[in-house]
């Protein structure tokens, strides 16, 4: 009877493994730093990787060494959008699973109450064993559900915060580079080593 609740717990543990997602977002941060974006435009990315469990040393090191960098603004925003979609999907899945677990927990608690209320005759015709088995099974199901909830509730908070910080990146970037975009719209020239703000390689001269 506890197989379903066991599967729910296994799925919660699977969703809570954010290593690949954290690695992807950290790589985006590193590529953006190598591309020369102002740190003020990357606060959302730093917040996202931190929310995903990346330690401070790894956050600091992202982009500090050799590696790939974004050659254009469009490439950066595309990677950012893909990561946002992935995290949004994980957040949705965690929420749906949480609802399933809560429903399963309610059912297990009802069965636990029913098991405890089962009559035990004297002399016993096996009723004591049936009662004990029903209680033990319900208690196991309750433990699996409670363990899953202990995973899913903080996971939901992690993903919600990471998603919010990622969604803030375009606004942070726009605010940081507002004067630059104004200059470009007025046909102004970027300074030496202006990087890819126009989608091209650095301007020389």
């Amino acid at each position: 009877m506890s197989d379903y609740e066991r599967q729910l717990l296994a799925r919660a543990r699977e969703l809570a493994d954010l290593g690949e997602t954290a690695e992807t977002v950290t790589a985006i941060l590193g590529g953006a730093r190598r591309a020369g974006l102002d740190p003020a435009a990357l606060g959302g990315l730093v917040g996202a990787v931190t929310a995903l469990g990346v330690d401070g040393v790894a956050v600091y090191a992202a982009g500090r060494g050799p590696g790939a960098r974004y050659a254009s603004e469009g490439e950066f925003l595309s990677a950012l959008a893909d990561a946002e979609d992935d995290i949004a999907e994980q957040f949705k899945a965690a929420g749906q699973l949480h609802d399933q677990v809560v429903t399963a927990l309610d059912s297990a608690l009802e069965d636990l109450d029913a098991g405890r209320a089962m009559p035990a005759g004297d002399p016993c015709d096996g009723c004591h064993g049936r009662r004990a088995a029903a209680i033990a099974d319900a208690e196991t199901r309750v433990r699996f559900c409670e363990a899953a909830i202990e995973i899913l509730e903080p996971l939901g908070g992690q993903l919600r915060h990471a998603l919010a910080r990622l969604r803030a990146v375009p606004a942070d970037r726009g605010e940081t580079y507002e004067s630059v975009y104004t200059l470009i719209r007025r046909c102004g020239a970027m300074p030496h080593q202006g990087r890819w703000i126009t989608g091209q390689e650095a301007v020389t001269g």
Side-chain angles (χ1 to χ4, degrees):
M1 290 293 291
S2 62
D3 286 348
Y4 175 63
E5 292 79 10
R6 191 191 306 271
Q7 291 170 6
L8 293 176
L9 176 56
R11 176 59 177 154
R13 288 170 174 164
E14 181 183 340
L15 286 175
D17 183 1
L18 299 177
E20 185 175 346
T21 301
E23 184 178 337
T24 297
V25 180
T26 303
I28 294 173
L29 173 61
R33 282 175 172 168
R34 293 188 193 97
L37 265 74
D38 191 293
L42 300 178
L45 271 170
V46 172
V49 296
T50 301
L52 292 170
V54 179
D55 65 59
V57 174
V59 173
Y60 175 80
R64 305 291 177 179
R69 74 175 181 87
Y70 294 109
S72 70
E73 185 179 34
E75 185 181 343
F76 168 64
L77 292 177
S78 177
L80 193 68
D82 287 344
E84 181 183 324
D85 288 344
D86 288 345
I87 294 175
E89 189 63 32
Q90 289 174 301
F91 178 63
K92 179 181 178 181
Q96 291 174 337
L97 183 60
H98 183 273
D99 291 344
Q100 289 178 273
V101 173
V102 169
T103 299
L105 177 59
D106 289 343
S107 178
L109 289 171
E110 289 177 2
D111 289 346
L112 179 58
D113 288 340
R116 289 170 173 167
M118 288 175 64
D122 186 17
C124 178
D125 61 353
C127 57
H128 286 77
R130 290 191 295 272
R131 181 174 182 271
I135 291 173
D137 180 71
E139 287 177 339
T140 299
R141 291 162 57 201
V142 168
R143 285 197 299 271
F144 284 149
C145 291
E146 289 177 340
I149 289 172
E150 287 179 2
I151 293 171
L152 291 169
E153 288 188 346
L155 175 63
Q158 273 186 279
L159 293 172
R160 182 186 300 108
H161 183 61
L163 193 57
R165 298 306 294 135
L166 277 185
R167 287 173 173 168
V169 173
D172 291 344
R173 178 184 53 82
E175 183 177 340
T176 302
Y177 289 104
E178 181 178 4
S179 60
V180 177
Y181 286 122
T182 300
L183 172 66
I184 293 170
R185 283 195 297 270
R186 294 174 179 172
C187 299
M190 288 293 294
H192 178 60
Q193 294 186 346
R195 303 270 178 128
W196 54 251
I197 197 72
T198 62
Q200 299 176 350
E201 293 297 328
V203 177
T204 59

